C-alpha cells in the first residue's frame, strides 16, 4: 500500500510538467501558424500593389498616346481649315518629288494681281504651241520628222511636220528588210509596210525627190531606210541610193 501511494504522488507531480510542455507546444504551433498567415497576407498585399502600379502605368501610357494623337489630328485639322499656303506647298512638293517630277514654279499673290488674275481662282489657260505650216516643198536631201498616215500597196503616205504637203515613201524605200517581188500580192505588201510604219507612228524621212506633174501639182518622194529611225541620222549623205521612185505624194493624196 505504501508503494502505491508513492507512485501516485510521483505521477501527480509529473502531470503538471507534462501539461506545461503540452501548452508550450500548442503555443509554438499557434505562433508559427500566425507568422505564416501574416507572411502570406503581406505577400498578397505586395502582389496586389505591384499589379495596381502596372495597371496605372499602362493607363498613363495609353492616355499620353491618345493625347498626342488628338493633338496631331487637331493640328492637321486647323492647318487644313486655315489653308496654310506653306503647308500646302510643302505637300505638293513632296508629291511632285515622289512622282519624279520637277516642282512647279512659285507665283506670288502680287504677281497674280498684276496679271489681273483672281486670287484663288483657276490658273490661266495655256495656249498650245503650234508649228508654223508652209506650202513650200522642203529641199531635196533634207531630213524631217513625219507621221505615217496611210498605207497603200505602192508605198506609205507621210505628213511632214511644218509642211502642208504630204510625201510618199515608195515600198522599196520603207525598210531594208522589206524586199517585195512580183509574186507578192497587195495584201502582203500592205501588211509588211504596216509592220514597219503603221498609221499614226512617228518616223524619220529624207526628201529624195520633188517634182511637178502634168497638172501642176507638186509631188514629193521620201525615203525611210536611208535615215536612222532612232535619232534621225542620215545614212546616205552622198545620196548614192537614189530612191526617186517615191515621188507620188501631193497636197491632198492621203
Amino acid at each position: 500500500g505504501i508503494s502505491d501511494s508513492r507512485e501516485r504522488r510521483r505521477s501527480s507531480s509529473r502531470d503538471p510538467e507534462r501539461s506545461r510542455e503540452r501548452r508550450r507546444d500548442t503555443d509554438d504551433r499557434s505562433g508559427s501558424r500566425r507568422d505564416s498567415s501574416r507572411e502570406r497576407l503581406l505577400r498578397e498585399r505586395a502582389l496586389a500593389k505591384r499589379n495596381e502600379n502596372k495597371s496605372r502605368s499602362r493607363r498613363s501610357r495609353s492616355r499620353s498616346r491618345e493625347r498626342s494623337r488628338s493633338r496631331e489630328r487637331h493640328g492637321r485639322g486647323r492647318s487644313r481649315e486655315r489653308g496654310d499656303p506653306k503647308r500646302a506647298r510643302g505637300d505638293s512638293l513632296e508629291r511632285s518629288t515622289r512622282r519624279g517630277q520637277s516642282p512647279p514654279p512659285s507665283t506670288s499673290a502680287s504677281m497674280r494681281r498684276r496679271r489681273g488674275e483672281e486670287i484663288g481662282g483657276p490658273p490661266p489657260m495655256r495656249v498650245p504651241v503650234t508649228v508654223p505650216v508652209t506650202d513650200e516643198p522642203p529641199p531635196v536631201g533634207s531630213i524631217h520628222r513625219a507621221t505615217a498616215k496611210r498605207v497603200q500597196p505602192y508605198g506609205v503616205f507621210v505628213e511632214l511636220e511644218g509642211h502642208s504637203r504630204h510625201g510618199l515613201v515608195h515600198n522599196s524605200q520603207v525598210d531594208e528588210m522589206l524586199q517585195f517581188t512580183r509574186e507578192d500580192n497587195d495584201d502582203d505588201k500592205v501588211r509588211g509596210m504596216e509592220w514597219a510604219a503603221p498609221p499614226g507612228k512617228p518616223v524619220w524621212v529624207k526628201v529624195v525627190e520633188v517634182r511637178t506633174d502634168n497638172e501642176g501639182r507638186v509631188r514629193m518622194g521620201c525615203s525611210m531606210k536611208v535615215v536612222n529611225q532612232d535619232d534621225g541620222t542620215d545614212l546616205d549623205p552622198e545620196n548614192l541610193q537614189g530612191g526617186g521612185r517615191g515621188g507620188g505624194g501631193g497636197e491632198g493624196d492621203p
Side-chain angles (χ1 to χ4, degrees), residues 22 34 43 62 81 87-88 100 103 122 130 147 166-167 180:
R22 290 176 183 175
R34 289 174 187 173
R43 289 176 184 175
S62 61
E81 291 177 358
R87 186 178 182 84
T130 57
T147 305
H166 295 82
F180 300 109

Side-chain angles (χ1 to χ4, degrees), residues 100-138:
Q101 301 175 357
S102 59
S106 60
T107 304
S108 61
S110 60
M111 292 176 65
R112 295 177 65 181
R113 287 195 189 97
R114 286 197 294 270
R115 293 179 187 175
E117 301 175 8
E118 183 181 357
I119 298 176
M125 295 180 62
R126 295 182 179 179
V127 179
V129 179
T130 57
V131 178
V133 180
T134 178
D135 294 334
E136 296 294 329

Side-chain angles (χ1 to χ4, degrees), residues 49-116:
K49 193 171 183 180
R50 190 180 299 172
N51 294 332
E52 187 176 358
N53 293 332
K54 288 183 179 179
S55 62
R56 286 180 182 177
S57 63
R58 290 176 183 174
R59 290 173 187 173
S60 62
R61 290 176 184 174
S62 61
R63 288 176 184 175
S64 62
R65 289 176 184 174
E66 290 178 358
R67 289 175 184 174
S68 61
R69 290 176 183 174
S70 63
R71 288 175 184 173
E72 290 178 358
R73 293 173 184 173
H74 186 63
R76 291 177 184 174
R78 291 180 64 184
S79 62
R80 289 176 182 174
E81 291 177 358
R82 292 179 181 177
D84 190 1
K86 294 182 179 179
R87 186 178 182 84
R89 179 165 177 77
D91 296 339
S92 63
L93 288 173
E94 289 181 359
R95 287 194 294 269
S96 61
T97 51
R98 287 175 185 173
R99 295 174 184 172
Q101 301 175 357
S102 59
S106 60
T107 304
S108 61
S110 60
M111 292 176 65
R112 295 177 65 181
R113 287 195 189 97
R114 286 197 294 270
R115 293 179 187 175

Side-chain angles (χ1 to χ4, degrees), residues 5 12 23 35 37 52 56 61 66 79 84 92 104 114 124 131 145 159-160 176 189 222 234 241 244 247:
S5 62
S12 61
R23 287 178 185 175
D35 294 338
S37 62
E52 187 176 358
R56 286 180 182 177
R61 290 176 184 174
E66 290 178 358
S79 62
D84 190 1
S92 63
R114 286 197 294 270
V131 178
R145 192 68 168 167
E159 180 182 9
L160 278 67
E176 289 286 350
K189 293 178 182 179
C222 301
D234 191 357
Q241 298 187 21

Side-chain angles (χ1 to χ4, degrees), residues 221-253:
C222 301
S223 175
M224 289 175 53
K225 70 177 184 179
V226 297
V227 184
N228 188 350
Q229 295 300 315
D230 294 332
D231 54 5
T233 304
D234 191 357
L235 302 178
D236 184 24
E238 301 295 333
N239 298 324
L240 299 177
Q241 298 187 21
R245 289 181 294 175
E251 188 173 354
D253 288 327

Side-chain angles (χ1 to χ4, degrees), residues 167-208:
L168 176 64
V169 180
H170 194 263
N171 56 17
S172 62
Q173 299 294 320
V174 176
D175 195 281
E176 289 286 350
M177 298 179 64
L178 296 176
Q179 295 180 0
F180 300 109
T181 62
R182 293 180 181 179
E183 298 178 357
D184 296 328
N185 55 24
D186 293 345
D187 294 336
D188 294 337
K189 293 178 182 179
V190 170
R191 280 196 295 269
M193 286 183 287
E194 284 182 347
W195 167 80
K201 180 182 178 181
V203 295
W204 289 97
V205 297
K206 181 179 180 179
V207 180
V208 296

